[in-house]
Amino acid sequence: MLTTTDITATVHEQINALLKEAGKPVRLLTGDEPLARIGLNSLLLARLIIQLETEFGADPFEEDYVISDVRTVGALTDAYVETLANLAAATA
């Protein structure tokens, strides 16, 4: 099972990969950053969600979360942490 640290690292890596690809500055993320402020527009956010679904095999926005309620890097990470924990508990 992935740890919170693993999930956080993956989310941060995927965000920075998309920012780099889009020609935006790559940064050290703390979790407090608003997604829009770091340069994730709606298209990049959609791509990020697809990449994270592929990486984790889960989409927290399918049932549990509303994407418009997730405004920070930390909130995005928390959505994946909770969804993956729920999936692990359901299969245990």
Side-chain angles (χ1 to χ4, degrees):
M1 183 172 135
L2 292 170
T3 66
T4 299
T5 302
D6 296 332
I7 296 166
T8 301
T10 300
V11 170
H12 290 193
E13 288 168 8
Q14 292 294 329
I15 288 171
N16 275 321
L18 280 174
L19 292 174
K20 182 177 180 182
E21 183 182 313
K24 298 178 185 285
V26 173
R27 56 185 61 209
L28 179 63
L29 300 170
T30 64
D32 295 329
E33 303 84 3
L35 296 170
R37 191 164 289 150
I38 63 171
L40 284 180
N41 60 29
S42 58
L43 178 60
L44 289 177
L45 183 57
R47 288 184 56 205
L48 176 63
I49 300 304
I50 292 167
Q51 288 175 318
L52 292 173
E53 182 177 2
T54 301
E55 182 75 28
F56 296 131
D59 179 5
F61 306 104
E62 194 170 280
E63 294 181 20
D64 298 328
Y65 289 89
V66 177
I67 189 68
S68 60
D69 292 342
V70 176
R71 299 187 185 276
T72 65
V73 172
L76 180 66
T77 301
D78 291 345
Y80 282 94
V81 167
E82 185 173 329
T83 297
L84 293 170
N86 290 342
L87 285 173
T91 60

